[in-house]
Amino acid sequence: MNISIETLNKAQREAVTAPLGHILVLAGAGSGKTKVLTHRIAWLLETGQAHSHNILAVTFTNKAANEMRSRIEALLTKPSGGLWAGTFHGIAHRLLRMHWQEANLPQAFQILDSTDQRRTLKRLFKALNLDDKKWSPKKAQKFINSHKDEGLRAKDVVNEGNAWLTQMLSIYQAYEETCQRTGMLDFAELLLRSYELLRDNPFLLESYQHRFQHIQVDEFQDTNTIQYKWLHLLAGDQGKLFVVFDDDQSIYHFRGAKIENIQKLQEDFADTRLVRLEQNYRSTGAILETANTLIANNKERLGKKLWTKDEAGAPVFLYTAYRETDEARFVAEKIQAWRGKRQEVAILYRTTAQSREFEEALLQRRIPYRIYGGLRFYERLEIKDTLAYLRLLLHRDDDSAFERVVNTPKRGIGERTIEMVRGVARQEGISMWQAAQRVPLKPRARNTLFAFLELIDRLSQRLKDLPLHEQVEQIKLASGLVDHYKKETKEEAERRLENLEELANAARYFEKGTDALTAFLDHAALESGEKQSNGSDDCVQLMSLHAAKGLEFELVFLCGLEEGLFPHQTSLDEFRLEEERRLCYVGITRARKHLYLCHSESRYRYGRRDYPEPSRFIGEMPKKLIKEVRTVPGSGRKRAW
């Protein structure tokens, strides 16, 4: 036998060599789940219990699917043949391409990405004469996709006469008809349509059930309703599921992930066998015990305890900052003194707005960094929109600022009007602001454009004597930006508004000097202009905790551990609090050797300086393993333990 299982520990071998049946592998962070998945497939092939065309391996990312396939081929020392390995969406797409007629699709159907889907909805809104100020295309997109993720067509949604729901279902129905007529499929449709394809074609379903007798699923805790239904249908009565999951890392409920799918699988498939992978190959003993003690406070979990053969290692350090700038300074100085590779350092935070202080502290020390999976603070859309208003208040002849905000948020100034303004500006060699006052327009277009000019002039008068941070606050309200962003999905709106609050906080640091607005705008432009590492350089990684899942680093800073921030104030009911705790657990288990926990005694939030309590999560960690870097004398603050 070519496949060696000697490199596997006892639990890994138990999972890999388990008799055919439904196997649930509860794989803790850093316990070798990918190794187990690939060895299981190789074991089935090598022992003759399965042929490659009988195996379907489902992942959540193309990277994971490619890695799985390459590892299997390395173990077998030959190509994997007819094995299917891919993401849920990728496999669904493959099925629909092969069976386009049965799926009632044109052969050359097209896939809509998220941006194309939104554009389609915007065109549909115009066709339906819907006011997109009242009926947001982005919210309609969220409504449609979330119902598809639940396996529901417009006709399947129960409506007891709710006016808002009636309108949204009407949009959903019209969108479905448009996509069917034009041969377009969005990402959510790929899964729903492939599920319906199998469900409504018994002979086809039987064929694939006979073929895919062994179904391997990675990151099962992240599956949503339609993904589970798709797996359940494909497995049928004969298919054998080999499912790898970690209920303690279920952190994507806001994307539709259903942690209850784990229990549902055990109920729907009899005689499931549970194997726990608890030996960790990533982190030190101190880090693992800290994570174990914290997550034990969650009631709804199957339960496991990570352990390692390695030493306890360094203690987990806790830094209590005076304020957010002190927190960022501490982290930056520790990184400056770090002698390892900077790409092995991660700064993790609960909200993206927290990145600004760390970015500025790193830039001041010329420490290269990268925002993983996102934009730097001053490059974010909502920040650039607000700064453009400030620039136009300061300098009316700033054409780029004028173009950015003249119809942001939408105020009925069409592209034709803006092009006419551009034309007059080019022809007469003047700014667009000046051209806007003399461009020949029809009365309705002229009135709308003049209303914008008057808005800027009124703001200029109203704000000239206000502190800079209050100017930012007034602009985002008076311009309509806040209401504009609130039309987006709940999570996106929350993120944008938190970033705008942080912009106002940033403005406070420039109020003591002269010409505060100019200084602030210059600072923002310089910060935005600083080169960010392209990812190939040796640079520090900054990211939200949600983006950190699946990654690992030598040195991790887990920041902003304060009540109301982490756990977040919107997540304090029991169900969401358990997910917040899982998120903290994910953050802790990203660290291999060194972990710093940071919280601040005061922080500007929502336009005022707050004095939050330390996060309850700190108090749930084992104090014997945590070493305080600094004790605040005479602060009178109650410690978390």
Side-chain angles (χ1 to χ4, degrees):
M1 183 177 296
N2 294 327
I3 305 302
S4 172
I5 60 173
E6 299 305 316
T7 59
L8 305 176
N9 64 40
K10 182 180 178 181
Q12 290 172 338
R13 283 197 300 273
E14 180 186 352
V16 167
T17 63
L20 294 182
H22 301 305
I23 313 298
L24 278 67
V25 182
L26 178 52
S31 63
K33 69 177 181 65
T34 305
K35 187 175 185 178
V36 166
L37 264 172
T38 53
H39 274 74
R40 173 64 173 183
I41 294 172
W43 173 266
L44 291 174
L45 296 174
E46 186 72 9
T47 58
Q49 298 179 76
H51 297 290
S52 59
H53 68 273
N54 293 138
I55 296 176
L56 173 66
V58 189
T59 68
F60 275 85
T61 67
N62 288 315
K63 179 182 177 183
N66 293 333
E67 182 182 358
M68 186 183 299
R69 184 182 291 277
S70 63
R71 285 201 193 186
I72 293 166
E73 292 178 349
L75 286 168
L76 296 170
T77 65
K78 62 181 180 181
S80 54
L83 180 149
W84 279 27
T87 64
F88 279 99
H89 290 99
I91 293 168
H93 174 245
R94 186 172 179 177
L95 286 170
L96 293 174
R97 285 293 181 201
M98 293 171 66
H99 304 285
W100 54 273
Q101 288 176 307
E102 295 95 327
N104 191 27
L105 290 169
Q107 186 173 9
F109 69 81
Q110 299 297 305
I111 300 174
L112 296 172
D113 64 18
S114 180
T115 302
D116 290 335
Q117 184 187 22
R118 199 173 305 144
R119 287 183 183 136
T120 301
L121 282 165
K122 286 179 179 178
R123 290 194 294 270
L124 182 62
F125 272 41
K126 288 184 179 179
L128 296 174
N129 292 318
L130 287 173
D131 182 358
D132 61 6
K133 294 179 181 178
K134 181 178 180 181
W135 301 99
S136 161
K138 190 168 283 191
K139 282 192 175 180
Q141 181 182 31
K142 170 81 171 180
F143 177 88
I144 291 167
N145 291 345
S146 63
H147 280 83
K148 287 186 178 184
D149 286 345
E150 291 293 321
L152 298 172
R153 296 287 183 193
K155 62 182 177 56
D156 301 322
V157 180
V158 176
N159 181 14
E160 297 180 351
N162 180 285
W164 180 86
L165 183 57
T166 299
Q167 181 62 73
M168 294 302 281
L169 289 175
S170 175
I171 294 168
Y172 186 3
Q173 182 67 46
Y175 172 76
E176 284 188 298
E177 292 168 358
T178 298
C179 289
Q180 183 63 35
R181 184 178 67 253
T182 56
M184 298 185 297
L185 275 72
D186 54 57
F187 280 104
E189 180 73 15
L190 287 173
L191 275 167
L192 179 54
R193 185 69 69 102
S194 68
Y195 169 75
E196 293 170 341
L197 166 70
L198 296 173
R199 182 197 64 190
D200 300 338
N201 293 273
F203 293 110
L204 189 64
L205 174 61
E206 184 180 354
S207 172
Y208 278 106
Q209 286 177 336
H210 179 72
R211 174 173 182 170
F212 295 131
Q213 297 172 24
H214 305 276
I215 303 175
Q216 324 290 312
V217 188
D218 192 14
E219 303 283 10
F220 182 76
Q221 77 278 354
D222 294 336
T223 55
N224 61 26
T225 299
I226 191 62
Q227 287 163 344
Y228 179 80
K229 291 175 73 172
W230 187 87
L231 287 169
H232 186 276
L233 182 67
L234 197 55
D237 296 328
Q238 302 300 319
K240 307 304 180 187
L241 289 166
F242 188 89
V243 167
V244 179
F245 70 100
D246 184 0
D247 56 344
D248 290 334
Q249 294 191 72
S250 178
I251 59 174
Y252 296 127
H253 180 262
F254 68 97
R255 294 182 187 170
K258 298 288 183 67
I259 191 172
E260 52 267 34
N261 283 347
I262 297 167
Q263 182 179 353
K264 190 169 177 58
L265 185 145
Q266 292 173 299
E267 294 171 352
D268 290 344
F269 294 91
D271 303 322
T272 55
R273 178 176 179 177
L274 180 65
V275 181
R276 287 179 170 84
L277 303 184
E278 298 175 303
Q279 184 174 355
N280 177 280
Y281 294 91
R282 176 189 300 162
S283 305
T284 64
I287 291 170
L288 292 181
E289 189 173 343
T290 300
N292 286 333
T293 307
L294 170 74
I295 202 64
N297 289 277
N298 273 6
K299 298 175 183 177
E300 299 297 326
R301 59 191 295 263
L302 288 171
K304 66 180 181 304
K305 188 173 183 179
L306 296 178
W307 61 276
T308 179
K309 286 184 177 180
D310 294 338
E311 298 178 353
V316 173
F317 293 101
L318 173 66
Y319 181 70
T320 302
Y322 296 107
R323 55 179 62 199
E324 60 271 32
T325 50
D326 180 36
E327 179 187 44
R329 174 202 57 77
F330 170 79
V331 171
E333 287 180 355
K334 284 294 178 184
I335 294 172
Q336 197 167 36
W338 172 249
R339 291 293 173 255
K341 292 183 178 180
R342 285 181 176 143
Q343 65 192 29
E344 285 289 353
V345 180
I347 303 173
L348 309 182
Y349 35 77
R350 177 62 179 82
T351 68
T352 58
Q354 290 170 255
S355 77
R356 184 190 66 83
E357 293 285 0
F358 298 110
E359 290 185 61
E360 296 197 359
L362 293 171
L363 285 169
Q364 287 170 10
R365 292 161 178 81
R366 299 185 180 277
I367 299 173
Y369 71 91
R370 181 169 74 105
I371 302 290
Y372 185 91
L375 296 170
R376 295 191 297 173
F377 184 79
Y378 287 105
E379 294 174 348
R380 295 166 190 166
L381 178 143
E382 60 276 12
I383 302 302
K384 293 175 79 170
D385 286 348
T386 309
L387 290 175
Y389 274 100
L390 284 169
R391 285 163 48 201
L392 197 60
L393 288 175
L394 181 67
H395 188 52
R396 298 292 199 281
D397 296 332
D398 186 330
D399 284 354
S400 62
F402 180 92
E403 287 210 54
R404 186 173 188 96
V405 301
V406 66
N407 202 36
T408 303
K410 289 186 177 180
R411 45 178 62 92
I413 301 174
E415 181 56 35
R416 178 173 172 78
T417 298
I418 297 171
E419 185 53 47
M420 291 179 69
V421 173
R422 288 193 197 104
V424 171
R426 283 194 300 268
Q427 185 177 354
E428 300 189 18
I430 57 179
S431 70
M432 290 185 70
W433 176 272
Q434 294 170 324
Q437 299 176 63
R438 61 181 77 175
V439 62
L441 295 170
K442 292 181 179 179
R444 181 178 177 182
R446 184 179 65 248
N447 292 340
T448 308
L449 183 60
F450 274 33
F452 168 72
L453 302 180
E454 290 168 2
L455 169 67
I456 299 300
D457 285 336
R458 286 199 309 274
L459 277 172
S460 182
Q461 289 299 313
R462 188 194 312 172
L463 305 183
K464 64 180 180 179
D465 295 324
L466 292 178
L468 186 56
H469 77 276
E470 289 189 25
Q471 293 185 38
V472 174
E473 293 285 355
Q474 289 293 318
I475 283 173
K476 68 186 189 184
L477 292 170
S479 65
L481 286 176
V482 168
D483 290 336
H484 173 60
Y485 297 135
K486 282 182 177 178
K487 293 176 184 176
E488 299 185 355
T489 63
K490 181 181 177 183
E491 294 80 18
E492 200 164 351
E494 184 179 275
R495 175 176 55 80
R496 292 199 192 281
L497 295 179
E498 285 179 339
N499 284 334
L500 288 181
E501 290 293 342
E502 185 57 31
L503 182 66
N505 294 341
R508 294 174 185 272
Y509 296 103
F510 295 84
E511 292 176 348
K512 293 181 180 179
T514 57
D515 204 359
L517 179 54
T518 299
F520 180 50
L521 291 173
D522 287 348
H523 171 78
L526 290 170
E527 294 283 276
S528 180
E530 285 283 346
K531 179 179 178 294
Q532 181 178 203
S533 169
N534 61 15
S536 61
D537 301 330
D538 186 24
C539 58
V540 177
Q541 309 291 305
L542 277 69
M543 68 191 74
S544 71
L545 282 151
H546 284 100
K549 186 171 174 287
L551 304 176
E552 58 182 78
F553 305 91
E554 196 84 1
L555 169 62
V556 167
F557 295 90
L558 184 49
C559 302
L561 278 160
E562 298 137 31
E563 285 294 304
L565 182 56
F566 193 27
H568 199 272
Q569 62 183 12
T570 60
S571 304
L572 296 181
D573 62 84
E574 186 173 352
F575 178 81
R576 289 193 177 100
L577 185 60
E578 291 216 345
E579 182 158 327
E580 289 285 291
R581 192 175 284 110
R582 292 195 292 269
L583 194 57
C584 189
Y585 173 86
V586 166
I588 292 170
T589 54
R590 297 314 91 197
R592 290 200 295 267
K593 296 285 183 67
H594 305 284
L595 174 64
Y596 282 83
L597 310 172
C598 301
H599 73 96
S600 180
E601 291 190 318
S602 71
R603 187 180 298 272
Y604 258 118
R605 295 196 76 201
Y606 308 113
R608 66 178 187 273
R609 181 157 290 282
D610 286 341
Y611 297 86
E613 290 293 324
S615 171
R616 71 190 69 192
F617 298 152
I618 297 175
E620 294 172 355
M621 298 175 196
K623 60 182 179 181
K624 66 179 181 180
L625 296 178
I626 295 180
K627 181 178 180 180
E628 293 195 62
V629 178
R630 179 178 68 87
T631 302
V632 183
S635 66
R637 301 287 295 174
K638 184 179 179 181
R639 288 292 173 200
W641 51 68

